[in-house]
Structures are given as structure tokens and as C-alpha cells.
Amino acid sequence: MKLANKVALITGAGSGMGRAGALLFALEGAKVAVVDIDQRAAAQTAREIETAGGKAIALGADVSKKEDARAMVAATVEKLGVPDIVYNNAGIEGESAFMAQLSEDAFDRVIAVNLRGVWLGMKYALPHMVKKGGGSIINTASIAGMVAIRGATAYCAAKAGVIALTRVAALEYGRYNIRVNCICPGTIDTPMVRRIHGAEGELPQRALGPSASVLGRAAEPEEIAKMALFLASDDASFATGAPFVVDGGWTVV
Ligand code: NAP
């Protein structure tokens, strides 16, 4: 098992990629703090882990709020131990509007969750990880942090910010044996993507076409979880400060 005796804190783990990461990390031996703004969804993921024989706790937290971010780290330390792995994954798509039509409130909320939330997750975990002697932080960015997407002003800015935060954290904390990387997914078949495309059944062609994936399909959340597992584990012992693109080729065109 790649994560035996490790403690992992994963945000946004009630759904989509965070949930898939939580299940895979637990299967690989980690004790997992499953964090989500939707406490019931977090509890459901934690139940699935325990049913499969793993160890998990469920925590409700809004990662954009400093008290919640501090409390999720404190509860993890108290109940499972200092996290070796912090996977700041929670995020929202926000409203789709061209730049001039986007409201200030909508802009602020996306930045608060997708950028400030990632910073807060690192801010409150890092001192514990430094004391413990190291660890791995994984942040969820997006290819939206690398290329422009119409109607996604705040989302693209926040995700580019996550790539920058990741680099700074890697630079500052490498000396403490803490690696910090981010994942830049393309189109992944999660509830978020289905909300964006309004798809109940099959994802529409515009979510799968050559501009979205040269493989002609969206990925399953588990395909991102495998990259997160690589970054969390010692297999990625020399990887830090980098954006790991897993986009089915979106950014080659
Ligand atoms: P998802 O299925 O919607 O899962 C995200 C989870 O995060 C949900 O359970 C959500 O709860 C929770 N959450 C939202 N705001 C939160 C907050 N303030 N504090 C704590 N938890 C919060 O989405 P996903 O597609 O797996 O997305 C995971 C991450 O990947 C996000 O950062 C997203 O931006 C990024 N991403 C997604 C794609 C994609 O194609 N799906 C591509 C690139 C990057 P609610 O459902 O109650 O809001």
C-alpha cells in the first residue's frame, strides 16, 4: 500500500474528484479526513471508506472561511494525527458570464472558495507539517489556469492563482521536506461538469470534442485520483512546485 500509516485531509471530498481521491487514498492505507461544505456528503464518503475497511472521519467546513479552515485542520490533528497529505480540492464553477456582465459578488465568491480556500488550507496545515518533518500538499488547479475559457473570468483567475500559490509554497517549504504540487484537470465527468453542461445522461459533444479532449471523452474522477495518489506518495519524491496537467490533450490544440 502506497499510503500506509499516512493521514490525509481532503477538501471537497463529498463529491467528484475529492470523493474519488478519498476512496483511493483510504484503499492505499491512509486515514482520511473527508471535508466538505456539505456535511452529509462528507459523511457518505466517510461511510463508504469505513464500509470498505478503511478509517475516515467526516468534517463539515467552508474552506473560504478562516475559522472553518483552522477547525478542519485542528479536528484532523486531534482525531487522526497531523496530516502527511493535504489535498486542497474543493472548488465551485461560479456563474458563467462575460467579464463585463459578471457581478462583483459572483467574482468574489469564486476567488474566496477556489483561491483563498486553497491558501487557507495550506496556511493552517503547514505549521503542523513543518513540525512533523514533511509531507505532500496537492492543490486542485485546472487547465483553466493555463488557457482562457469564455465566461469564466473569476474561475480562470483563481486557478491561475492556485498554480502561483503552489509554486510559492513549494519554494518556501521545500527546506522542510514538504512537496507542493497542483493538478490541472481537463474535463472530468463530475457533478460540477454536469451542472455546467446541463447533462443528465451523456455529456454533450461540446464537452468532449477536439477542443476539450483529443481523446474524445471526458475522464472519470478516478483518473485524477490516480495522479493525486502519485503526488501524495513517495513515488513523486522529486516532484514539487509543478502543475500536473491531466486533460486528455485539451491544451495541445
Ligand atoms: P464537485 O463534484 O462539485 O465536487 C466539489 C465538492 O466541493 C462538492 O462536494 C462541493 O459541495 C464542495 N465544496 C464547494 N464549495 C466548498 C467550500 N466552500 N468548502 C468546502 N467544500 C466545498 O466538483 P469536481 O468537478 O469534483 O471539482 C473538484 C475540483 O476540481 C474543483 O476545485 C474544480 O474547480 C476542479 N476542476 C474540475 C474540473 C472538472 O472538469 N470537473 C476540471 C478542472 C478542475 P457542494 O456540491 O455542496 O457545492
Side-chain angles (χ1 to χ4, degrees):
M1 290 200 284
K2 289 184 185 293
L3 304 180
N5 303 316
K6 302 285 188 195
V7 173
L9 183 165
I10 308 181
T11 68
S15 176
M17 285 180 259
R19 174 179 169 277
L23 296 173
L24 183 59
F25 284 15
L27 212 59
E28 289 290 338
K31 291 179 268 184
V32 183
V34 177
V35 181
D36 205 284
I37 198 169
D38 180 344
Q39 179 136 23
R40 284 200 352 214
Q44 173 61 30
T45 302
R47 258 196 310 276
E48 284 180 59
I49 288 172
E50 300 245 311
T51 304
K55 168 86 182 152
I57 57 168
L59 301 169
D62 178 343
V63 296
S64 70
K65 295 189 175 150
K66 77 171 182 186
E67 290 312 331
D68 285 22
R70 197 175 5 217
M72 80 184 178
V73 173
T76 303
V77 172
E78 188 194 320
K79 293 178 178 155
L80 298 179
V82 171
D84 304 280
I85 302 149
V86 174
Y87 185 3
N88 293 300
N89 164 77
I92 55 172
E93 65 275 29
E95 80 185 34
S96 175
F98 270 30
M99 207 169 278
Q101 278 72 48
L102 185 65
S103 72
E104 284 84 350
D105 284 351
F107 181 90
D108 288 347
R109 184 63 186 155
V110 169
I111 297 293
V113 176
N114 294 8
L115 181 58
R116 187 174 199 262
V118 170
W119 168 62
L120 288 174
M122 292 200 283
K123 174 179 167 59
Y124 289 112
L126 277 165
H128 294 284
M129 298 172 85
V130 167
K131 263 194 226 153
K132 191 169 185 176
S136 171
I137 296 177
I138 305 148
N139 298 321
T140 300
S142 169
I143 48 110
M146 303 176 135
V147 299
I149 297 176
R150 285 184 192 84
T153 294
Y155 190 85
C156 288
K159 295 301 188 181
V162 170
I163 296 170
L165 279 182
T166 299
R167 291 187 174 126
V168 175
L171 180 64
E172 292 181 348
Y173 290 89
R175 73 184 66 178
Y176 301 107
N177 195 32
I178 298 170
R179 297 183 295 100
V180 189
N181 293 287
C182 62
I183 303 176
C184 298
T187 303
I188 319 302
D189 190 355
T190 67
M192 176 187 284
V193 151
R194 284 175 182 262
R195 277 195 303 276
I196 292 169
H197 293 286
E200 292 299 327
E202 291 290 295
L203 281 175
Q205 197 50 40
R206 72 195 145 89
L208 308 174
S211 65
S213 159
V214 298
L215 298 178
R217 65 176 181 88
E220 296 300 323
E222 290 73 20
E223 296 180 84
I224 301 300
K226 287 176 192 166
M227 173 56 82
L229 173 62
F230 167 70
L231 293 173
S233 76
D234 290 342
D235 287 348
S237 52
F238 203 54
T240 195
F244 285 79
V245 175
V246 188
D247 70 348
W250 178 320
T251 46
V252 302
V253 278

